Amino acid sequence: MTVMESKPIESNVVELEGSLIREPDPFPYLMLVAFEASGLIRFALLLLVWPIVRFLGLLGLRDAGFKLAVFIAVVGVRISDIEFVGRAVLPKFYMDHIDMDGWRVFSGYGKKVVASKTPRVMVEWFAKHHLGADQVIASELGVNRFGRATGLLTNVDVVLSQVQTLVSENELVCIPYQFCFKTRCANLFISLNIHPPSLVHLQKQQSQKNQPLPVIFHDGRLVMFPKPAIALLILVWFPIGVIIAIIRFIIALALPICVLPYENLIYGILTKVRGDPPKSLLKSDSSSGVLLVCNHRAFMDPAVIATVLGRKISAVTYSLSRVTEILAPLQTIRLTRDRDVDAKKIEDELKKGDTFICPEGTTCREPFLLRFSALFTELTDRIVPVALNYKPTLFHPTTARGWKGFDPIFFFMNPFCYYEVIFLDQLSVEDTCSGGKSSYDVANDVQRKMAATLGFECTNLTRKDKYMFLKGNDGRV
């Protein structure tokens, strides 16, 4: 069927929930806000309210149930904390539920408008920076003079009327989304009156290579999307996890060095090792230090490699907590981010033996590698790249906010976690600075090899970019 000649494709208005996002229920996202912006008590309270929200929905009072859930989730919470969650936590979960077919149709227009009853503070960053929306029509969250949320939505009832006004002014035509893709019932308003199947075919042809802007920096503690059943599991496990964490703490402090190879099992770490480490790494030889260069997934990276090798190694780190340093089954050396001072520290450790370093300088959870600092390439030509991947079950151990002393607690609270350790070949002398290559070329080569091994993507983003983004000062990520 051919497309009818009409007005050019200029603009559209699309509902976020159910059209662009496959998950139409905003409740799990409110659970994320409750946990990450406030804590476990509010998380539990919101879950207790869920049956009431569902009952109101069955009575046809869905808006009332939604307002109640929003009130419980955010009342009294600093608006800056909610903004942080909307920028650093929610986009990951929104992206996990994105409907690519719906997004391709949406992305084929000039002006793109996203409508949602969810508070603007929760959806605007994702809609504009990841989906490319030009305008967001959403409810507004009330804020008192102390910068805390009142829990009241000021215009949730007029979102639909705003959409209808925009549709009328721009002479847009409504196409039921379920008619296009036969999956859900939501509304897609477009500026071209053509047959829906032809529209879908046209937009898929135009946008099949397009992708939303990926989520690179993700923060927060929760790993799983907290639908009510998962949220209940988290609540039930939390006290059990605390007890298990305490037991693991005690064991970690009491264990002698001879049981180092078995510590991963005690910590609940399921480890898969690929590749063969150089023979020099399997024995302690203080006269020939090798620099193990790794990507950074979690603060336990050096401890996992030490247990895989079956002996202690030194690890140079940037920002471990004192609690983590006490529990670590290896020596940790703090770097200062002063290039000359740090170079001297690393060289001294290499003279003593094998040393571990993460040139990214900070953790990255998503399948991306941050730019590698080139300092390590200037200190030795004995470099062994080690690619790491880490997957927890319930809780992320590291976040950019809060006290870092909680990191090992959340790590040990996981029932188990999965580590993949991949030893790559030691760099030949010709591939190091001693072979005439620049330090930046060597660092980039190591980054590319690790990314190819893990199936990750290289970036030019740095630790500074990460923390500027999490603070809301960098709009380019």
Side-chain angles (χ1 to χ4, degrees):
M1 181 178 294
T2 60
V3 178
M4 296 172 56
E5 295 293 334
S6 186
K7 298 179 181 179
I9 299 178
E10 295 176 348
S11 62
N12 70 357
V13 182
V14 63
E15 294 176 338
L16 180 66
E17 296 86 1
S19 292
L20 296 176
I21 302 300
R22 294 190 303 269
E23 176 56 58
D25 186 5
F27 189 83
Y29 298 102
L30 293 173
M31 292 293 290
L32 284 166
V33 173
F35 188 92
E36 305 293 356
S38 184
L40 186 67
I41 295 177
R42 189 183 295 269
F43 183 78
L45 182 60
L46 183 57
L47 183 60
L48 288 175
V49 173
W50 177 75
I52 301 176
V53 174
R54 289 288 295 170
F55 181 69
L56 290 173
L58 293 175
L59 294 178
L61 301 173
R62 183 172 297 178
D63 284 350
F66 175 70
K67 290 178 181 179
L68 174 62
V70 171
F71 181 83
I72 299 298
V74 302
V75 62
V77 179
R78 287 195 298 265
I79 195 66
S80 59
D81 291 337
I82 303 173
E83 289 173 348
F84 175 86
V85 174
R87 183 175 63 251
V89 178
L90 296 184
K92 157 68 176 176
F93 294 95
Y94 280 129
M95 193 67 74
D96 286 345
H97 293 91
I98 194 169
D99 186 306
M100 290 305 300
D101 287 337
W103 183 82
R104 284 169 182 149
V105 173
F106 171 74
S107 65
Y109 295 88
K111 181 178 180 180
K112 298 175 284 291
V113 182
V114 169
S116 174
K117 288 187 177 181
T118 302
R120 180 187 302 274
V121 69
M122 291 174 55
V123 301
E124 186 168 41
W125 177 273
F126 175 73
K128 287 189 174 181
H129 291 267
H130 293 280
L131 300 182
D134 299 292
Q135 181 181 348
V136 176
I137 299 177
S139 59
E140 301 292 346
L141 191 61
V143 182
N144 63 23
R145 60 191 180 93
F146 301 106
R148 295 182 178 271
T150 63
L152 303 177
L153 296 175
T154 58
N155 66 339
V156 66
D157 297 320
V158 301
V159 169
L160 182 58
S161 64
Q162 291 178 344
V163 171
Q164 291 172 339
T165 300
L166 188 62
V167 168
S168 176
E169 290 177 352
N170 290 273
E171 299 181 352
L172 304 185
V173 179
C174 177
I175 294 180
Y177 188 62
Q178 62 175 357
F179 185 76
C180 294
F181 302 107
K182 300 179 181 178
T183 54
R184 287 165 301 282
C185 181
N187 290 326
L188 172 67
F189 297 94
I190 66 170
S191 60
L192 184 61
N193 187 12
I194 62 177
H195 197 274
S198 300
L199 170 70
V200 174
H201 176 74
L202 174 65
Q203 295 304 323
K204 283 187 176 181
Q205 291 295 318
Q206 291 180 341
S207 307
Q208 60 183 350
K209 295 184 179 180
N210 292 347
Q211 296 291 331
L213 188 68
V215 175
I216 298 178
F217 298 135
H218 168 234
D219 207 69
R221 292 290 187 188
L222 295 184
V223 174
M224 303 175 71
F225 188 55
K227 289 187 176 183
I230 298 298
L232 180 60
L233 172 64
I234 293 171
L235 283 176
V236 171
W237 177 258
F238 208 92
I240 300 173
V242 171
I243 295 173
I244 291 176
I246 293 173
I247 294 173
R248 286 172 171 168
F249 278 149
I250 295 173
I251 294 175
L253 293 173
L255 282 179
I257 185 63
C258 62
V259 299
L260 185 63
Y262 307 101
E263 286 195 7
N264 281 352
L265 295 177
I266 297 170
Y267 294 156
I269 302 174
L270 306 180
T271 308
K272 179 180 179 181
V273 181
R274 292 166 51 192
D276 298 319
K279 293 181 179 179
S280 60
L281 290 176
L282 299 176
K283 59 182 180 179
S284 181
D285 185 358
S286 60
S287 64
S288 55
V290 174
L291 187 62
L292 291 93
V293 178
C294 310
N295 60 305
H296 201 6
R297 302 297 282 176
F299 71 90
M300 285 291 287
D301 293 347
V304 169
I305 290 183
T307 55
V308 167
L309 296 175
R311 65 180 183 83
K312 288 190 174 183
I313 58 174
S314 298
V316 291
T317 65
Y318 285 101
S319 57
L320 282 182
S321 70
R322 295 298 181 185
V323 176
T324 304
E325 289 181 335
I326 293 172
L327 294 174
L330 68 165
Q331 182 182 5
T332 59
I333 297 90
R334 283 179 175 264
L335 298 181
T336 63
R337 303 194 187 278
D338 182 304
R339 189 177 180 85
D340 294 333
V341 173
D342 291 344
K344 182 65 167 60
K345 285 188 175 185
I346 297 172
E347 286 177 336
D348 290 343
E349 289 306 313
L350 284 170
K351 291 177 182 178
K352 300 176 185 178
D354 301 330
T355 304
F356 172 99
I357 188 172
C358 294
E360 288 179 291
T362 186
T363 57
C364 184
R365 298 175 184 174
E366 302 308 305
F368 297 90
L369 294 183
L370 306 186
R371 191 177 72 198
F372 281 19
S373 168
L375 176 62
F376 74 92
T377 67
E378 303 169 6
L379 307 178
T380 181
D381 58 6
R382 304 194 66 198
I383 298 172
V384 176
V386 184
L388 300 174
N389 200 2
Y390 167 72
K391 296 179 181 179
T393 46
L394 289 180
F395 305 106
H396 289 292
T398 53
T399 66
R401 305 170 76 229
W403 184 46
K404 287 185 175 294
F406 284 126
D407 290 353
I409 296 175
F410 278 98
F411 180 89
F412 288 130
M413 283 177 62
N414 281 300
F416 60 88
C417 60
Y418 173 79
Y419 251 105
E420 185 176 21
V421 181
I422 308 172
F423 289 95
L424 281 65
D425 294 335
Q426 181 173 329
L427 298 188
S428 63
V429 176
E430 292 77 14
D431 291 330
T432 66
C433 292
S434 298
K437 283 194 169 186
S438 72
S439 59
Y440 296 102
D441 287 340
V442 176
N444 291 338
D445 287 345
V446 173
Q447 184 198 37
R448 282 193 292 266
K449 287 180 180 179
M450 285 191 186
T453 300
L454 293 167
F456 289 2
E457 184 177 334
C458 294
T459 75
N460 286 320
L461 300 171
T462 65
R463 177 186 182 276
K464 182 179 179 181
D465 292 321
K466 172 182 174 178
Y467 286 96
M468 287 183 66
F469 162 74
L470 293 178
K471 293 177 181 179
N473 298 325
D474 188 2
R476 69 185 180 91
V477 179

